[in-house]
Amino acid sequence: MADGTSISANLAAPARAAMAPPSGMRKFMRRRSTIAVLMAMPLILLIAGLVIWPAIYAIWLSMLNKRMTQFVGLGNYAFLLKRNTFQLVIFQSCLFAVTAVILKALLGFIVAHLMHNIPGKNQRIWRGLLLVPWVIPLALSTLSWWWLFDPSYSAFNWILNSLGFQSVPWLGVGWNARFAVIAVNVWFGTPFFMIMYLAALKSVPEQLYEAAAIDGAGPVQKLLHVTLPMMRNIIAITVLFSLIVTFADFDIVRILTAGGPQDMTHLFATYAFSVGIQSGDIPLGASVSLFMLPILAVAAFFVLRGVTRRTQEIAA
Amino acid sequence: MAQVSIRKVVKAYEGNVQAVKGIDLEIADEEFVVLVGPSGCGKSTTLRMVAGLEEITSGEIWIGGDVVNDVPPRDRDIAMVFQNYALYPHMSVFDNMAFGLKLRKFPKDEIKRRVDEAARILDIQALLERKPKALSGGQRQRVAMGRAIVRNPKVFLFDEPLSNLDAKLRVQMRTEIKKVHQTIPTTTVYVTHDQVEAMTLADRVVVMNHGVIEQVGPPQELYHNPATRFVAGFIGSPAMNFLPVRVLDDGGLKVELANGVKLAVPPQRVDRYGPYKGRQMTLGLRPEHLTEIRDTEKPNVVRIDCMVDVVEPMGMETLVHFFIDGEPVCARIDPVTHSAPNEVLPLAADLNNMHLIDNESGKVV
Ligand SMILES: Nc1ncnc2c1ncn2[C@@H]1O[C@H](COP(=O)(O)OP(=O)(O)O)[C@@H](O)[C@H]1O
Ligand SMILES: [Mg+2]
């Protein structure tokens, strides 16, 4: 650390000296960093226009009253936190995201292993088939699921009935509906994990397993001491990425349950839509969606810090 | 602590490619055996079958009195050093070396004692906390050896352990490996394609080609009495010269070179070569038996004049390349002898060390 600061101090001095002479503008234009910034400018402007500006605007919006005539500070946030429905939304979003991501990662990991052990050409076919859920437009496939879950005319209840069981109101009862929403998300998201973990598995050198076998490791120990450590980065990154996407999920809940029954499947995004667009309180909707930010930022910070550390250790 | 026996072992990969075509090899306890041969001859496959990493198609492998055909690697009590070291990148040097012991539930202080001891032998005590990424090639090589040593296994297996090192380090680590074997005598099977490595390390060298063993023997024996043309050409650098000759009786048994020069066969070889009279054979003569003419000549040294093509001064010797009727020939002469391209140089061929090879069977007769 001490080295780092002293080096930057040494570098800063000549740079300042170079800026000092009066023919400043010319020299300034010739400096490499200036040119670099200029050449990156179109992208910077694009990002500023499409990401930073809307984000700032959203923050501004969230601090207005319903008719957007008055600045209310953090009033909307305080109001939300006191509402039972919103507390339910926080709980449901966390439940939904955490459960779905864990299940997706777990299933993806298992399927990737199965896939990895299918020899040669067959593997390509299976891999292609398992990717299907991921490539169908989500809104479309969710509609099929909605039909499958239908109480009177659906395939699931038809099977249950013909086996002699009662029909299940899949989307009509709180916990059933929560389960259904998570199940569809898992169905949709698992292929992503599968393909990422399969690629990671293929990149673990075979000789490490051979060395471990000779060192005395069985299948479980190889998994614990070779596979998992070698895949920790990809696991961390996929989980974080999926956590963000799943937290912000909209389509599945919107189509399957529209947040019902009794708001018991609402997530941040669907609730923000329902409050902001359907009920016309845009500032409140903005504050709902902004609630995701701190939660995700904290998660991202810790995960990415671990990834950086491990990358420095392992990359050879 | 263990002999290794390889009996009629065959390895066929899918598509009926036979990588190893039925080899027999008895390795004594504490012996250092080197499998050497050109790339693709089945050395690694053989070693990996001993390790248990490759299934044996037919035949038997014994380690220390037990058939191990169906024993998994972890129960064979062997240790292996891989060409690219195969160190666990996420573990420190200490953990890399301790991993096998931890899995075998050794007590902590015993693990530490063994790792420290191995680190001392290999001179890597200062590196124990580092990750493999922070090591040089030679240091990684040492760690890989340390991982094998701490286990104190019945057999060490090496698969081209020095191939990834630069030339200088390779020579240094070669000595290191030999020293380790002297310090901790353990049955060792070592695979390499480098005949110099094989000669310098081995108690016995096994020369393989196309999935079969060509010859087994101590380095000196292989060098002086090769059994086949392949071994004769593979062992030794620069390689043995091969010249087509005809065996004939012209007032004594002689071999006639393609350019018409006739060389008298030494009297002690006449009985051996007699039966091949009239046959087309190959004469094998190592470059060091083709030298400048010396004052004190032994019997059976004959003079051959050559037209020098290329001269390569090596310092302690000079290599002279020329052609005999289109066949390239190399001679090793004293550097003080004058030699220059396109000049005639008289050479002495020491026929006491000649080899005669049957063209059909490829065997040295
Ligand atoms: N997994 C495999 N599948 C098919 N053929 C193989 C396999 N591994 C090795 N071979 C073949 O077996 C032969 C011997 O290989 P190997 O033992 O690795 O040779 P080397 O003597 O260079 O170590 C080669 O011709 C190689 O192509
Ligand atoms: Mg090999």
Side-chain angles (χ1 to χ4, degrees), chain A residues 113 201 204-214 222-223 226-227:
Chain A
H113 264 87
L201 275 180
V204 179
E206 192 57 33
Q207 297 218 313
L208 287 188
Y209 292 110
E210 294 182 344
I214 288 173
K222 282 185 201 167
L223 183 72
V226 180
T227 312

Side-chain angles (χ1 to χ4, degrees), chain B residues 65-100:
Chain B
D66 301 308
V67 182
V68 295
N69 282 30
D70 298 317
V71 178
R74 61 172 160 160
D75 298 326
R76 290 192 184 194
D77 200 5
I78 44 142
M80 184 156 167
V81 177
F82 295 85
Q83 176 172 348
N84 53 12
Y85 322 130
L87 299 177
Y88 310 116
H90 53 279
M91 294 185 199
S92 68
V93 167
F94 183 95
D95 289 333
N96 261 285
M97 287 164 67
F99 186 58

Side-chain angles (χ1 to χ4, degrees), chain B residues 43-44 83 159-160 191:
Chain B
K43 312 177 295 283
S44 296
Q83 176 172 348
D159 192 354
E160 311 232 4
V191 162

Side-chain angles (χ1 to χ4, degrees), chain A residues 145-312:
Chain A
W145 279 100
W146 177 70
W147 174 77
L148 286 172
F149 283 128
D150 186 277
S152 350
Y153 306 105
S154 77
F156 289 153
N157 280 344
W158 181 81
I159 293 172
L160 283 180
N161 289 343
S162 52
L163 290 175
F165 292 98
Q166 292 271 303
S167 288
V168 174
W170 292 107
L171 303 175
V173 177
W175 278 100
N176 283 356
R178 285 174 180 167
F179 163 80
V181 167
I182 289 173
V184 175
N185 185 274
V186 169
W187 172 85
F188 172 73
T190 300
F192 166 74
F193 281 85
M194 190 268 296
I195 212 76
M196 295 300 276
Y197 292 166
L198 188 61
L201 275 180
K202 285 186 191 299
S203 73
V204 179
E206 192 57 33
Q207 297 218 313
L208 287 188
Y209 292 110
E210 294 182 344
I214 288 173
D215 268 340
V220 177
Q221 283 141 334
K222 282 185 201 167
L223 183 72
L224 288 181
H225 298 294
V226 180
T227 312
L228 282 178
M230 293 298 284
M231 288 177 63
R232 260 167 74 182
N233 268 350
I234 196 77
I235 291 174
I237 291 172
T238 48
V239 164
L240 173 68
F241 181 73
S242 177
L243 205 59
I244 293 172
V245 174
T246 312
F247 240 99
D249 196 75
F250 177 79
D251 316 32
I252 295 175
V253 168
R254 180 72 206 142
I255 293 170
L256 224 49
T257 64
Q262 290 105 44
D263 294 329
M264 283 182 75
T265 55
H266 259 316
L267 308 176
F268 282 120
T270 53
Y271 190 60
F273 178 76
S274 145
V275 171
I277 309 293
Q278 292 184 313
S279 311
D281 191 344
I282 291 176
L284 200 63
S287 21
V288 170
S289 52
L290 282 173
F291 254 100
M292 284 188 279
L293 199 66
I295 304 178
L296 294 178
V298 169
F301 174 76
F302 283 106
V303 172
L304 290 180
R305 199 178 60 165
V307 167
T308 317
R309 205 190 57 230
R310 281 192 298 274
T311 311
Q312 281 163 357

Side-chain angles (χ1 to χ4, degrees), chain A residues 6 10 23-24 32 39 45 74 95 106 112 118 130 140 150-151 175 180 186 193 240 269 276 286 305 308-309 315:
Chain A
S6 74
N10 287 344
S23 64
R32 290 172 63 119
M39 291 178 82
L45 288 177
L74 297 177
L95 177 82
L106 212 61
I118 298 175
L130 283 179
L140 220 60
D150 186 277
W175 278 100
V186 169
F193 281 85
L240 173 68
R305 199 178 60 165
T308 317
R309 205 190 57 230

